[in-house]
Amino acid sequence: MDSSRIQDWKQLRSRFPVFQKKTYLNSCSYGALANEVEDSLQRYLDARNDKGADWEYWVGRNEAVRSSVARLIGAEPDEVAITASVSAGINSLASALSFDGPRNKVVITDFEFPTNAQIWYAQELRGARVVRLAEEGGRIPLEKFEEAVDEETLIVATAQVAFRHGAKQDIPAIAEIARRKGALMMVDSYQALGTMPFDVKKAGVDFAVGGMLKYLLGTAGIAFLYARQDLIESLAPTATGWFAQEDIMAMDITRYAPSSTARRFEAGTPPVPNTYMAEAGLAILHEVGLEAIERRIGELTTAIKDAATEAGYSLASPVDPAHHAAMISLRSSDDNRLVAGLAEDNIVVSCRNDNLRISPHFYNNEADIEHLFRALHRRRDLLV
Ligand SMILES: Cc1ncc(COP(=O)(O)O)c(C=O)c1O
């Protein structure tokens, strides 16, 4: 990525029609739809009408997404499985782990999105023991990982960025603890990807998951699992399907022969329409550049924190920019009412657990934030 790239943010914003109607600050939930992502779906529909079934081209789109994700996270395409959801990727990974040996402990935290807790708790039916580290003042102290990860730990599975308030974890430091204690490390990067550079090799993680709906500008129903090359062949997922086999077209009904690549974590027919949209969304991120995006989001989150502090609103996110990502959350006494009220002013935001989540992307600007805060000041009784 070219860190010196100067972007024309106004021109980029004009490619997202939603801004003609809404003040859209909800990328932690759903990314805004770009013209080229919309067009890509039409291309899929046109291809079906023009050609009928174009299987080769469809499979090619899935491979294009695989390569694009690999480029985004600094991996090889063979280390990336394209899945229908983050949940599907974690389930496939969990199904390949054995909890019968001396290592059966799974370490998670209070920062997890429910799916990355529920799936590991489900493994308790297979002998796993889940330990959840408690949040303390908006952080999970590294010492907690140091204490909890031990010779009985099989895997540490934790979020890079918390979905409730945007707090960011030090993933390389957590991965180092896991490695030192002989445990595996999986990061759920869904709330981070697309907002900052992230290199799985530099971070030292064994597995990473993320999806295309939010800051990656694609759509729902498509996600990925990264698995470190040296580990792939030692893992045999029992959650599987024909697209996970070494030779998909062998149509072999006599045995299980998983692919030698991360494709072994896949299952059935790829989410074809979604691959078109994901490919188009990822292309925008590569075009703009992750360093430039991170800088722009940094300017916008600073503006949000400054406006909140000036008004005396209570931040649920860490103030230090080193400890939060693209989402800034404000504490609310009735977050659902606040989101509904802001919607009446054409402002799209979301909430979780008494927090109003404000999540800009590179396409937002200072005027969006001013508009939001004017509306918040009118509803200050719902803020604490
Ligand atoms: C951090 C995080 N992980 C996982 C998910 C869910 O992923 P999926 O619905 O693709 O399983 C979300 C949000 O939808 C999320 O924010």
Side-chain angles (χ1 to χ4, degrees), residues 32 43 168 278 305 325 350:
R43 270 206 314 284
K168 183 166 78 177
K305 285 183 297 182
S350 57

Side-chain angles (χ1 to χ4, degrees), residues 111 139-140 142 145 158-161 167-177 185 187 198 203 322-323:
F111 278 5
R139 313 210 42 203
I140 316 284
L142 273 183
F145 286 96
T158 195
Q160 190 166 356
V161 172
K168 183 166 78 177
Q169 299 212 83
D170 185 346
I171 295 302
I174 300 169
E176 188 280 321
I177 294 171
M185 166 82 192
V187 61
F198 182 60
H323 297 311

Side-chain angles (χ1 to χ4, degrees), residues 28 84-88 113 115 159 161 163 188 190-191 214 223:
C28 67
S85 63
V86 158
S87 305
F113 188 83
T115 218
V161 172
F163 77 104
D188 175 355
Y190 209 156
Q191 290 291 343
K214 307 175 192 289

Side-chain angles (χ1 to χ4, degrees), residues 214-285:
K214 307 175 192 289
Y215 301 95
L216 296 186
L217 309 178
T219 185
I222 181 161
F224 73 87
L225 166 73
Y226 155 79
R228 183 159 64 78
Q229 180 62 55
D230 333 341
L231 293 170
I232 293 173
E233 293 208 65
S234 65
L235 295 165
T238 56
T240 189
W242 62 308
F243 266 77
Q245 308 304 301
E246 184 62 42
D247 180 359
I248 299 169
M249 286 303 160
M251 299 292 177
D252 187 348
I253 58 167
T254 65
R255 64 197 182 111
Y256 168 52
S259 163
S260 57
T261 72
R263 201 164 47 70
R264 67 174 51 201
F265 296 101
E266 298 181 8
T269 307
V272 180
N274 306 338
T275 63
Y276 282 67
M277 296 177 83
E279 186 184 1
L282 285 162
I284 299 172
L285 294 167

Side-chain angles (χ1 to χ4, degrees), residues 73 76 105 116 170-171 176 181 201 215 272 356 382:
I73 61 172
E76 293 300 321
K105 191 162 149 185
N116 190 41
D170 185 346
I171 295 302
E176 188 280 321
K181 312 265 184 131
K201 308 279 166 162
Y215 301 95
V272 180
L356 177 75
L382 297 176

